[in-house]
Amino acid sequence: MCSSSNSIIQTQKLVDQLRIEASMERFKISLTAADLVQYCQEHRRSDPLITGISASSNPFKDKKSCVLL
Amino acid sequence: MRSPPIPEMATQEVQLNETLAHLKTESETLKTKLEEERAKLHDVELHQVAEKVEALGQFVMKTRRTLKGHGNKVLCMDWCKDKRRIVSSSQDGKVIVWDAFTTNKEHAVTMPCTWVMACAYAPSGCAVACGGLDNKCSVYPLSLDKNENLAAKKKSVAMHTNYLSACSFTNSDMQILTSSGDGTCALWDVESGQLLQSFHGHAADVLCLDLAPSETGNTFVSGGCDKKANVWDMRSGQCIQSFETHESDINSVRYYPSGDAFASGSDDATCRLYDLRADREVAIYSKESIIFGVSSVDFSLSGRLLFGGYNDYTINVWDVLKGTRVSILFGHENRVSTLRVSPDGTAFCTGSWDHTLRIWA
């Protein structure tokens, strides 16, 4: 009896959770993927690992030593 | 001789079983409906939408710094917002704060436990949080006085009933989000140690979490040994979306910079991208030649690159939009266990079971 009640509680929780997920508004991938692509393109130029910023502005890249004449 | 069951009890039991049967049917119906709804939206693949996008050029990324000092496996690391300091934690119980530019160690704390699996830098840069086999998350304020004993000011914040797998400050020093081997995530007030919200839903250890970028609201994603990635509402504690396509433990989850998607890395040797508005997986990053698990993933600043640290000691760099691998990086002499891109995107840091951390750019 007790285990039946527990199963019911658990299954009720599952049903409640699924109801929440089922009620969500979803969009087609053709639309959402276009937004992902657009974000990449818009931020491309400010992405140092893509544009490969020069050694002088990247603190981790070694600068060539300068010679004072 | 057995006495016959009391009629009342028998009726009750029949009713309970009927209720259970109804609920089970309803859950199956809902699951099928969800699958159908998600399938309807699958009108195109991400890489098809990205066909016209320019291909990426050749990548030359090298180790620029090696941080040596841990006496055992490095398990976790995090960047400070100042883009140069790093906190790392190790199996030997040590938590070290480094200046990544100079490779100098600025602070070191010895935890009372081994396997410090989680560490995080506070947004202010004035404290670090860490924990692991002690089942707790503790916060250490960082002192400017190098001689001060950091352990003396330690504050115990979170208490779980199993190991701490990950921790992260929210957008202030005042709250910490944790995930644990006890199957739950929790939100804590740092000052009082009070539990503000708990998140139940994973069926096994939760291994990782990531907070949504602050512009997109109060949600976070978690991944676990139940192969599920769950998205949670921080205020209500409710699981609002769930994804189960990986074939093994999910070791790492990370939001796409716009907050509309997240990536995951798993013991099934794949990384995957999940689109939150389409509510489904939209890309798998894998190769037949890659057979070892992914321990940690992170995006470059624009979201175009996905870096994955693997158990075969390598880092694979993926073109997020086209689904192809753009580079493979060698250097570590054991598993890569943790990987984070710096806050300004100029470099990324990896930690490894070879006891070192490396900065790549």
Side-chain angles (χ1 to χ4, degrees):
Chain A
M1 282 275 282
C2 196
S3 65
S4 267
S5 306
N6 280 343
S7 300
I8 288 182
I9 292 172
Q10 273 183 4
T11 316
Q12 183 67 60
K13 276 189 186 164
L14 176 60
V15 167
D16 290 340
Q17 181 61 40
L18 289 169
R19 279 187 193 148
I20 289 173
E21 290 178 29
S23 66
M24 184 193 149
E25 193 183 357
R26 295 176 186 78
F27 300 90
K28 288 193 175 177
I29 295 185
S30 47
L31 292 174
T32 62
D35 283 348
L36 294 179
V37 170
Q38 191 185 356
Y39 187 91
C40 274
Q41 298 294 72
E42 277 171 7
H43 292 83
R44 185 198 169 93
R45 263 181 236 112
S46 48
D47 186 338
L49 290 170
I50 299 241
T51 58
I53 62 177
S54 66
S56 51
S57 36
N58 187 327
F60 291 108
K61 289 187 177 170
D62 292 317
K63 304 173 190 13
K64 293 197 163 64
S65 56
C66 47
V67 178
L68 292 172
L69 296 170
Chain B
M1 190 176 109
R2 278 188 66 201
S3 50
I6 302 164
E8 210 179 280
M9 278 179 68
T11 317
Q12 264 187 19
E13 189 158 350
V14 166
Q15 277 176 353
L16 280 175
N17 284 337
E18 267 182 31
T19 311
L20 190 56
H22 279 304
L23 283 173
K24 284 196 170 158
T25 312
E26 191 178 353
S27 75
E28 289 309 310
T29 311
L30 283 167
K31 278 186 191 167
T32 310
K33 184 182 169 198
L34 266 170
E35 273 170 33
E36 283 172 5
E37 291 298 310
R38 283 172 170 169
K40 275 188 212 167
L41 303 161
H42 189 192
D43 56 345
V44 78
E45 299 289 338
L46 173 58
H47 64 84
Q48 288 172 299
V49 173
E51 247 162 34
K52 298 209 178 113
V53 174
E54 230 176 83
L56 292 167
Q58 275 284 36
F59 277 93
V60 178
M61 269 179 265
K62 298 193 287 191
T63 300
R64 304 288 175 172
R65 299 284 189 282
T66 304
L67 306 179
K68 294 185 185 176
H70 277 296
N72 212 320
K73 307 177 173 66
V74 177
L75 303 175
C76 189
M77 59 81 37
D78 191 19
W79 287 89
C80 177
K81 287 210 161 112
D82 71 1
K83 314 155 211 165
R84 69 184 280 171
R85 282 176 182 75
I86 281 177
V87 62
S88 61
S89 64
S90 163
Q91 184 193 344
D92 67 358
K94 289 230 168 42
V95 175
I96 299 178
V97 174
W98 315 76
D99 176 334
F101 288 1
T102 62
T103 74
N104 289 339
K105 297 179 201 39
E106 297 201 336
H107 302 276
V109 169
T110 305
M111 293 278 286
C113 66
T114 57
W115 288 89
V116 188
M117 298 168 213
C119 64
Y121 230 115
S124 66
C126 299
V128 292
C130 53
L133 284 188
D134 59 351
N135 300 356
K136 294 187 205 171
C137 184
S138 306
V139 174
Y140 291 85
L142 295 174
S143 169
L144 290 172
D145 177 1
K146 301 279 167 76
N147 294 322
E148 190 171 353
N149 180 11
L150 285 188
K153 295 236 166 112
K154 165 180 166 176
K155 185 181 284 185
S156 261
V157 175
M159 281 282 292
H160 278 280
T161 54
N162 209 323
Y163 65 88
L164 187 83
S165 54
C167 62
S168 174
F169 284 86
T170 59
N171 44 18
S172 81
D173 283 20
M174 302 285 86
Q175 291 181 354
I176 284 191
L177 192 58
T178 57
S179 63
S180 167
D182 67 14
T184 71
C185 297
L187 181 66
W188 310 82
D189 176 271
V190 173
E191 193 56 49
S192 63
Q194 198 191 349
L195 173 67
L196 298 172
Q197 185 61 263
S198 65
F199 305 89
H200 297 260
H202 278 287
D205 305 25
V206 186
L207 299 178
C208 51
L209 61 84
D210 192 34
L211 275 134
S214 38
E215 311 78 52
T216 44
N218 289 326
T219 61
F220 74 95
V221 59
S222 64
C225 291
D226 57 358
K227 311 176 204 168
K228 283 198 196 162
N230 289 339
V231 180
W232 308 85
D233 178 318
M234 277 171 69
R235 273 165 300 198
S236 67
Q238 191 73 52
C239 172
I240 52 181
Q241 280 174 278
S242 187
F243 303 89
E244 193 174 352
T245 62
H246 271 294
E247 294 166 19
S248 187
D249 298 2
I250 297 178
N251 297 313
S252 178
V253 285
R254 193 73 67 212
Y255 270 92
Y256 185 76
S258 71
D260 289 332
F262 69 90
S264 59
S266 164
D267 275 351
D268 69 7
T270 70
C271 300
R272 295 179 195 231
L273 187 70
Y274 297 91
D275 187 316
L276 292 168
R277 291 175 311 154
D279 191 34
R280 57 174 296 138
E281 174 193 289
V282 293
I284 304 183
Y285 307 99
S286 66
K287 274 178 109 69
E288 263 180 47
S289 53
I290 300 175
I291 57 172
F292 283 82
V294 189
S295 63
S296 195
V297 296
D298 202 357
F299 287 99
S300 70
L301 225 54
S302 66
R304 182 68 189 272
L305 299 175
L306 181 68
F307 299 96
Y310 289 69
N311 292 343
D312 64 1
Y313 315 176
T314 67
I315 295 136
N316 285 295
V317 187
W318 301 91
D319 180 330
V320 170
L321 302 180
K322 296 198 185 271
T324 53
R325 180 174 66 183
V326 296
S327 192
I328 177 169
L329 304 173
F330 302 94
H332 277 298
E333 294 166 16
N334 206 319
R335 289 194 187 189
V336 178
S337 54
T338 181
L339 185 156
R340 295 297 292 261
V341 172
S342 73
D344 61 354
T346 51
F348 67 92
C349 178
T350 53
S352 165
W353 280 17
D354 69 8
H355 308 187
T356 70
L357 292 117
R358 284 174 183 244
I359 314 280
W360 307 77

